[in-house]
Amino acid sequence: MPWRIRRQLQIWSRHIWTYNNFDRIKAHPADDRTKPLLVPEGEEFAHGGIWVTEFFPPSMYSQLQESVRRNGWESDYYGFGESTKGEQIRRARQGRGFAWARIATVTSPEANFVGVGLRQPIPVEFSLIDVSVRQIGRSLTAVVAFVRLSDVGRTQVDSVWKQEHEPKLVRYQTGPSVEGRYFAALISTQSERERMHDLARKWLSENCAGYFAASDLGQPVVDYGLFSKFDPISEVSRQGNGDPLRMLGLESVSFGHYLSPQVPGVAFEPGHPLRVSLSERLRNSWGLVGNLSKVREANRDQVGYGEHPFSVDTLAGMSDDAVRAFLLRVAAFRYVRSLGEVLGESRDSARSKHLKFSPKSMEALRGEMLLNSLDIPVVARDVQSLVDGSDWWPEGIVVSAEIDDPEGGVKTINLIDNMGKEVSHQLELLQAEDAAYRDVLASAASLGASASQGRQSRYALALAGLSLIVALATLAVATGDPALWEVLRDTILGG
């Protein structure tokens, strides 16, 4: 049997087996405790808030100003004295203005909030959005949106978690695959959390799109959520059917949990989706999770936030400053990696884009150098000042984990320091690669311009010769002089 026929038969047999397996799993009793995703009795998960950020390097400064003007944020209550917000942002980028400031508060037209705020349509899962700007050095402006959730949004992930999930037949590029009740529940719950993140990303992209909006993974996100019974810090993470962290798409690191004194009672967990192809953007997020009772106890001495016991959205609001500082470090880490990816893609495609010198390729080259090489040298300096703490308005944030040292005692792993070291290393590589790439492009452009000028000179000489021949032919026809025809013949034949 020819190999092509054998291969096709194997593909068909795998598909038939997959559909048969799907039918068998559907027929399996739904109350079998070894199959579905189990929710611990009395357990509830409440979402407290979502933070999402955008970066505006020099090449995107005009987009930031346009967003502030277009959205009506200039007229919001949070004014800047006699200067407009756009003017204050301009001054901050010159080193003469604010370090950070709130520029807008947005609520829905039907919201019951009394006082300041712009009334605009927002998703039903949101109740209020605080938008602030943070100036990093002189070249980079970060916009951070803190999304406070409505009753619908606060319980959305919990409601999907507790639904009865049936097996699913999922089609991947490699063919169909069966997801049993347990994995179908995991995927659905993680996808719902990702959907909440994407709602925040979409709102920020529509109102203030910057560098991250056009990237595949979107803007970096941090969310805050608390369990009514499960405690991610003190309880051992269970990799079985009842693991709440796995349900959220969070990765409990093997050596323990990242904790912060600025956000007591919660663990910092990186996004880790079950199926990257289905929930890829969860990798670009962090979750702050804890136990509601213990977080309330850890914040019992806080005053000015209303009556006890604090609600989950109030507890999230208490953490706003620290979470925003953490998100900026995460975003800086992601931004530097993204710049490296873009530079690598430009380098790999340079030969096909810039091999032939033409006005179109020259325009593409100019745009590429304005977008990347304009940003990298100055942004590298200012991002470095953020991660090493030398920025002129450093927010304090410490996120670390303690592990047993094999040599005795306890060893501390500082997440913020490790991120800073990696960013510094990547910035050094990025600047060196960018400088070498710009030198090559400049040399190629110079050689291309010389070659193009030589071609244009030859074209001009040929055109002049052709014009002379046409002029002689016209004169010969007009006068009828045989001598002119002889001259024309000698000109053409080179005689």
Side-chain angles (χ1 to χ4, degrees):
M1 182 181 296
W3 68 269
R4 290 187 176 86
I5 297 178
R6 291 201 309 270
R7 185 180 64 178
Q8 191 61 47
L9 288 175
Q10 289 174 352
I11 294 175
W12 288 344
S13 66
R14 285 201 305 268
H15 287 190
I16 292 172
W17 181 88
T18 299
Y19 287 112
N20 177 262
N21 188 40
F22 179 57
D23 291 336
R24 288 190 294 106
I25 292 178
K26 284 198 301 182
H28 201 279
D31 58 353
D32 187 341
R33 295 183 63 83
T34 65
K35 299 300 180 183
L37 175 66
L38 300 179
V39 179
E41 184 177 354
E43 183 66 272
E44 293 182 355
F45 175 77
H47 238 148
I50 299 173
W51 289 260
V52 58
T53 188
E54 265 291 7
F55 274 8
F56 292 86
S59 61
M60 293 185 171
Y61 168 67
S62 60
Q63 294 176 224
L64 174 60
Q65 291 283 12
E66 173 60 22
S67 296
V68 171
R69 184 196 61 78
R70 184 185 67 249
N71 293 314
W73 293 348
E74 289 281 14
S75 60
D76 197 5
Y77 174 81
Y78 298 102
F80 293 82
E82 298 180 357
S83 301
T84 64
K85 294 174 184 176
E87 175 65 17
Q88 284 295 321
I89 291 173
R90 185 183 69 83
R91 291 182 181 179
R93 292 179 70 95
Q94 296 174 349
R96 301 187 292 120
F98 60 83
W100 80 270
R102 181 175 287 110
I103 60 173
T105 299
V106 182
T107 61
S108 68
E110 300 81 17
N112 295 324
F113 292 103
V114 178
V116 301
L118 297 173
R119 301 281 176 163
Q120 297 175 355
I122 58 177
V124 295
E125 292 86 353
F126 300 168
S127 65
L128 184 144
I129 304 173
D130 281 326
V131 184
S132 60
V133 290
R134 166 70 160 86
Q135 188 58 41
I136 303 173
R138 297 187 179 185
S139 66
L140 193 61
T141 303
V143 174
V144 181
F146 173 31
V147 179
R148 300 173 185 263
L149 302 177
S150 65
D151 292 337
V152 175
R154 195 176 302 117
T155 60
Q156 197 66 32
V157 174
D158 182 73
S159 64
V160 174
W161 183 24
K162 295 177 179 178
Q163 290 175 4
E164 292 187 3
H165 299 273
E166 290 300 316
K168 290 183 178 181
L169 189 65
V170 183
R171 287 177 172 81
Y172 298 101
Q173 292 182 350
T174 56
S177 178
V178 177
E179 302 291 357
R181 290 184 176 89
Y182 171 62
F183 290 105
L186 281 179
I187 292 173
S188 297
T189 310
Q190 292 179 10
S191 297
E192 182 61 24
R193 178 168 171 257
E194 183 185 44
R195 187 187 72 85
M196 295 291 293
H197 292 178
D198 285 343
L199 283 176
R201 290 185 175 114
K202 181 180 179 183
W203 184 89
L204 188 58
S205 296
E206 291 176 347
N207 290 274
C208 197
Y211 180 86
F212 293 118
S215 62
D216 294 336
L217 297 179
Q219 299 94 336
V221 167
V222 173
D223 62 354
Y224 184 103
L226 301 177
F227 294 95
S228 60
K229 293 185 177 298
F230 175 69
D231 183 9
I233 298 177
S234 62
E235 296 186 37
V236 177
S237 180
R238 301 179 298 275
Q239 291 300 319
N241 292 6
D243 183 8
L245 292 184
R246 195 180 192 194
M247 173 273 297
L248 293 174
L250 297 174
E251 179 182 25
S252 180
V253 292
S254 59
F255 50 77
H257 299 281
Y258 287 115
L259 307 176
S260 173
Q262 283 81 22
V263 192
V266 302
F268 289 64
E269 308 288 355
H272 186 71
L274 177 69
R275 299 284 189 269
V276 174
S277 59
L278 298 179
S279 303
E280 183 180 18
R281 288 191 168 197
L282 278 183
R283 294 187 303 161
N284 194 25
S285 69
W286 281 74
L288 274 60
V289 289
N291 176 268
L292 178 59
S293 299
K294 293 189 177 181
V295 174
R296 282 173 172 169
E297 178 64 21
N299 291 276
R300 67 184 184 278
D301 295 331
Q302 297 285 348
V303 295
Y305 292 97
E307 297 181 355
H308 291 268
F310 294 136
S311 64
V312 64
D313 52 327
T314 299
L315 292 167
M318 292 179 183
S319 308
D320 181 28
D321 289 343
V323 174
R324 185 171 58 232
F326 175 71
L327 179 57
L328 288 178
R329 271 80 178 170
V330 171
F333 180 80
R334 178 60 200 161
Y335 177 58
V336 172
R337 291 192 61 179
S338 180
L339 285 177
E341 293 167 1
V342 171
L343 182 60
E345 183 178 352
S346 299
R347 181 193 60 232
D348 293 342
S349 60
R351 186 177 185 277
S352 61
K353 291 192 299 185
H354 307 305
L355 180 62
K356 294 183 178 180
F357 189 87
S358 65
K360 184 177 181 180
S361 65
M362 185 62 183
E363 182 178 353
L365 176 61
R366 182 171 60 249
E368 183 176 312
M369 297 191 73
L370 283 175
L371 285 177
N372 294 330
S373 297
L374 176 66
D375 292 342
I376 290 176
V378 291
V379 165
R381 175 199 65 209
D382 294 334
V383 169
Q384 184 63 52
S385 71
L386 173 70
V387 298
D388 64 15
S390 62
D391 187 43
W392 65 302
W393 187 272
E395 299 95 337
I397 180 69
V398 176
V399 182
S400 60
E402 293 186 349
I403 63 173
D404 293 332
D405 193 332
E407 299 179 357
V410 176
K411 181 179 180 181
T412 300
I413 299 177
N414 192 311
L415 176 64
I416 301 301
D417 285 350
N418 289 344
M419 279 187 179
K421 292 176 183 177
E422 180 62 22
V423 168
S424 299
H425 175 65
Q426 293 297 328
L427 284 174
E428 292 179 4
L429 297 178
L430 188 63
Q431 292 182 88
E433 291 181 9
D434 177 64
Y437 181 55
R438 280 189 287 115
D439 289 342
V440 171
L441 287 184
S443 300
S446 177
L447 293 173
S450 300
S452 177
Q453 185 177 5
R455 287 195 300 270
Q456 291 176 0
S457 299
R458 291 195 297 271
Y459 292 153
L461 184 60
L463 183 60
L466 182 60
S467 299
L468 176 61
I469 292 173
V470 172
L472 288 174
T474 303
L475 183 60
V477 171
T479 60
D481 187 352
L484 289 176
W485 288 108
E486 292 291 334
V487 172
L488 180 59
R489 186 193 66 180
D490 293 341
T491 300
I492 296 175
L493 299 178

